[in-house]
Amino acid sequence: MKYNFGDFLKQKRQEKKLTQKEIAKVLFVSESAVSKWEKNIAHPDITLLPKISEILGVTEHELITASIDEQSREEKVQAKKWRAFSLSWNLFFYIAYAIALIPCFICDLAINKGLTWFWIVLSALVLAFTFTNLPKLIKKHKLIFLPLAMFLSLCLLLGVCCIYTNGKWFWVASLSVLLGVVIVFAPIYITKYKVFAKIKKYNDFVSIGLDFAMLNLLLVAINLFTNSNNSTHDNWYIRIALPITLIVYVIINILICVKFLKVNKLLKTSIILFLINLFLYLPPMFIKVNNTFVQTDIIDDANITKANFAVWQEDIIDNNIHAIICVTLMTLAIIFLVVGLMRYLKMKRQNKA
């Protein structure tokens, strides 16, 4: 409810159980001056408003407008509650980390006469800290620093576990994590940050290229790791992994190219469905590398030329199912093609008219 200045001043003074004389004494003015303010005969000097607001427990804005700003007050209450919750949240986890860490420290020293598995506990808590408390501590550039901190803390945990178990798998594990980070965050960074403005238009191609590079780096690391643990050195990365990833990489880029075609979305959908059908269900294909042939399982299982809907035995059923999927995709592609062409021709006629 909104009052005039005098009525508002009088109401708030009475709520505080103050007399005009007490108000006048604090403000170093006469009691008659306060009386005139309340009767709207005169108004206080602007320099007195901060002190009057403090005495009456209102803001200067509320005093000037002679009304209580309920929304502002509610926002302050909610902000105070949030700060209290945030403080409680941080204290809870700090205490929980201390409760977990101190007994582990003592037990490890008592049992092993030194610190062994304690470092695993410590690095695990560091990782937990990056998820629970660190987001509240980082004020700027969270999208950069949080994923980086989580990645580094996870690598720290993997490294400590690797040392504890005398393993050689650290690079395989850390590169796997890095691949996940690149897949999730690379497209976001390219879209969000101005430094990537020149390649933003080609975000899909760049992101897929980075994923392809990281995947192959991981496969190389796995190949080296498996060879170091086996007496026989099988370079399966060159024979199998690289050709398959190259084929998938080319296929995905071809599908992305459809995005840049100057046709309506229905025609783009039709082209994508047709290409998926073509790539998945061509007759069995072979890749010749170093005079050896590698046949991928997905292509072998998708041999629709051997489908026989009169027979649904175990050795035929996969081919029948793939044939059904193939026909379904082709049917959808044709439907989108027809509808897309109709819309395209309609738009063309409208433009001419």
Side-chain angles (χ1 to χ4, degrees):
M1 182 176 178
K2 190 170 182 178
Y3 302 87
N4 59 50
F5 178 81
D7 292 338
F8 184 77
L9 183 64
K10 183 178 180 180
Q11 180 191 3
K12 292 302 172 184
R13 176 180 63 78
Q14 291 173 345
E15 287 178 2
K16 292 290 183 178
K17 297 181 179 179
L18 297 171
T19 64
Q20 291 181 347
K21 185 176 181 180
E22 290 172 329
I23 295 287
K25 185 177 180 180
V26 175
L27 296 176
F28 299 103
V29 296
S30 64
E31 185 178 348
S32 62
V34 177
S35 177
K36 289 179 181 179
W37 297 344
E38 292 186 355
K39 293 177 181 178
N40 280 315
I41 298 173
H43 291 86
D45 189 86
I46 193 169
T47 58
L48 295 175
L49 293 182
K51 191 65 178 177
I52 297 173
S53 300
E54 182 182 346
I55 296 170
L56 300 180
V58 296
T59 65
E60 291 181 42
H61 172 74
E62 290 174 334
L63 184 62
I64 293 171
T65 58
S67 62
I68 298 298
D69 190 346
E70 298 291 349
Q71 182 178 353
S72 177
R73 292 194 171 214
E74 180 63 23
E75 288 175 356
K76 289 181 179 179
V77 170
Q78 293 301 326
K80 186 176 180 180
K81 288 182 179 179
W82 171 251
R83 285 193 295 270
F85 170 77
S86 181
L87 179 61
S88 302
W89 172 275
N90 287 327
L91 286 176
F92 169 78
F93 281 105
Y94 289 142
I95 295 170
Y97 294 151
I99 292 173
L101 203 60
I102 295 172
C104 290
F105 178 81
I106 297 171
C107 290
D108 198 17
L109 278 178
I111 296 171
N112 298 310
K113 311 301 180 183
L115 297 179
T116 55
W117 49 264
F118 168 78
W119 300 113
I120 296 178
V121 176
L122 178 60
S123 55
L125 291 179
V126 170
L127 176 61
F129 175 82
T130 61
F131 284 91
T132 56
N133 297 82
L134 190 61
K136 296 182 180 298
L137 298 177
I138 298 177
K139 303 301 181 182
K140 294 181 179 181
H141 307 295
K142 286 189 178 184
L143 192 59
I144 294 177
F145 292 118
L146 272 181
L148 179 62
M150 292 173 183
F151 169 71
L152 292 177
S153 58
L154 182 53
C155 286
L156 174 64
L157 175 60
L158 293 171
V160 172
C161 292
C162 190
I163 294 171
Y164 182 76
T165 58
N166 294 318
K168 300 178 181 179
W169 43 264
F170 171 75
W171 292 110
V172 173
S174 58
L175 285 173
S176 300
V177 177
L178 183 58
L179 173 61
V181 171
V182 171
I183 291 174
V184 173
F185 290 100
I188 298 174
Y189 291 156
I190 293 172
T191 303
K192 182 176 178 62
Y193 293 105
K194 293 180 180 179
V195 68
F196 302 112
K198 292 183 179 180
I199 61 173
K200 183 178 179 180
K201 182 179 179 181
Y202 306 101
N203 189 352
D204 297 332
F205 294 108
V206 175
S207 298
I208 293 298
L210 290 172
D211 297 343
F212 172 76
M214 285 304 308
L215 177 60
N216 278 274
L217 185 60
L218 173 60
L219 291 171
V220 169
I222 295 173
N223 193 23
L224 293 173
F225 175 73
T226 54
N227 284 338
S228 66
N229 292 332
N230 297 324
S231 56
T232 58
H233 295 280
D234 180 17
N235 195 0
W236 51 263
Y237 170 72
I238 297 297
R239 291 191 307 102
I240 301 175
L242 181 59
I244 292 176
T245 55
L246 276 172
I247 289 175
V248 174
Y249 175 70
V250 171
I251 290 173
I252 292 175
N253 276 280
I254 292 174
L255 292 174
I256 294 174
C257 286
V258 177
K259 173 183 176 181
F260 297 94
L261 295 177
K262 294 182 179 180
V263 294
N264 59 56
K265 293 180 180 179
L266 293 172
L267 289 176
K268 289 181 181 179
T269 304
S270 174
I271 295 170
I272 290 174
L273 288 172
F274 176 77
L275 290 175
I276 291 174
N277 210 10
L278 183 67
F279 293 139
L280 288 180
Y281 300 114
L282 279 174
M285 297 186 299
F286 294 87
I287 308 165
K288 185 175 182 181
V289 181
N290 296 332
N291 295 322
T292 59
F293 290 94
V294 178
Q295 185 175 6
T296 61
D297 292 336
I298 186 172
I299 296 172
D300 184 52
D301 291 341
N303 191 352
I304 61 175
T305 59
K306 297 180 181 179
N308 185 353
F309 295 112
V311 179
W312 289 85
Q313 296 176 355
E314 186 176 352
D315 56 340
I316 300 295
I317 189 170
D318 285 344
N319 295 325
N320 290 348
I321 292 172
H322 285 301
I324 292 172
I325 296 173
C326 176
V327 172
T328 302
L329 288 175
M330 187 59 70
T331 302
L332 289 172
I334 293 171
I335 292 172
F336 278 105
L337 176 64
V338 172
V339 177
L341 285 173
M342 291 173 62
R343 178 168 293 185
Y344 171 77
L345 294 173
K346 182 180 179 180
M347 291 292 294
K348 197 172 181 180
R349 285 196 299 267
Q350 289 177 350
N351 292 334
K352 286 183 178 180

